Amino acid sequence: QMCKKFTVCPNSMEMLLYNKLNLPKVTEEDGDFLTFLSFQDKCLRKISSGLYTFQTYLKYVQETFNTESQNVESLSYSTEHLARTIRQMVINPEEVIVPDAATQESLHTELKSTKDWTEKITIHLILRDFTSFMEKTVRAVRYLKNTRSFS
């Protein structure tokens, strides 16, 4: 929808140049999925922390991408629920990094300061990286479901 409506497409050079966002990612250092069992707690902490961090970005998308506000609100709610659920699976849930209110407000203010065209690019980058993050999250959760009693 973003590509059609705002001509913001994944292969745009401008998008690649602008990507200065520090969006959460699950990397091989967090536990590659072939040896996931030995890294599962570390990986679950990273996933839960990342989902909590994405909340601020999703709030920005919801406020900015008005035509999809309800969909993004639902996505944000589901993401927060998943973050809490995964956090409960971590051996020490206190180790999950949850951004404090000041950090969230600072990031939100920074995001809101973007200009019109940059705003559209920012939304696209957030949604693209969120999709990638969720793909890896789904793989991890499926792996866990298949290797231990998990509900």
Side-chain angles (χ1 to χ4, degrees):
Q1 285 182 352
M2 295 253 345
C3 189
K4 289 177 188 172
K5 186 172 182 172
F6 300 121
T7 61
V8 175
C9 301
N11 296 330
S12 168
M13 283 303 285
E14 292 86 2
M15 281 182 43
L16 298 174
L17 293 173
Y18 178 71
N19 191 0
K20 296 178 186 171
L21 299 170
N22 189 21
L23 295 162
K25 294 182 182 357
V26 176
T27 63
E28 287 184 26
E29 298 156 5
D30 301 312
D32 108 16
F33 294 105
L34 297 175
T35 59
F36 183 72
L37 200 54
S38 61
F39 294 103
Q40 69 184 9
D41 197 62
K42 179 181 177 184
C43 190
L44 290 174
R45 277 195 316 271
K46 178 76 173 201
I47 289 170
S48 185
S49 295
L51 292 170
Y52 279 115
T53 300
F54 264 112
Q55 289 299 296
T56 305
Y57 291 99
L58 292 174
K59 177 182 176 188
Y60 169 77
V61 172
Q62 181 182 352
E63 292 172 353
T64 310
F65 198 18
N66 297 329
T67 59
E68 296 297 322
S69 182
Q70 274 191 319
N71 289 335
V72 179
E73 181 179 9
S74 175
L75 179 65
S76 183
Y77 174 80
S78 299
T79 300
E80 184 177 359
H81 179 72
L82 182 59
R84 279 192 312 257
T85 301
I86 291 177
R87 184 179 186 195
Q88 291 170 354
M89 297 168 58
V90 174
I91 294 169
N92 293 315
E94 310 80 42
E95 292 179 358
V96 170
I97 299 168
V98 180
D100 61 20
T103 302
Q104 290 176 0
E105 187 57 37
S106 173
L107 174 58
H108 190 256
T109 301
E110 183 182 331
L111 289 169
K112 294 219 37 115
S113 71
T114 60
K115 305 288 180 238
D116 246 7
W117 188 84
T118 308
E119 184 177 86
K120 293 171 180 79
I121 299 299
T122 301
I123 291 171
H124 180 82
L125 293 170
I126 290 168
L127 293 174
R128 183 197 67 188
D129 283 14
F130 180 75
T131 300
S132 174
F133 190 90
M134 288 305 299
E135 287 169 352
K136 291 177 176 134
T137 297
V138 167
R139 276 190 230 133
V141 170
R142 279 189 185 146
Y143 184 85
L144 271 175
K145 185 178 179 185
N146 292 329
T147 58
R148 70 178 204 186
S149 69
F150 173 72
S151 55

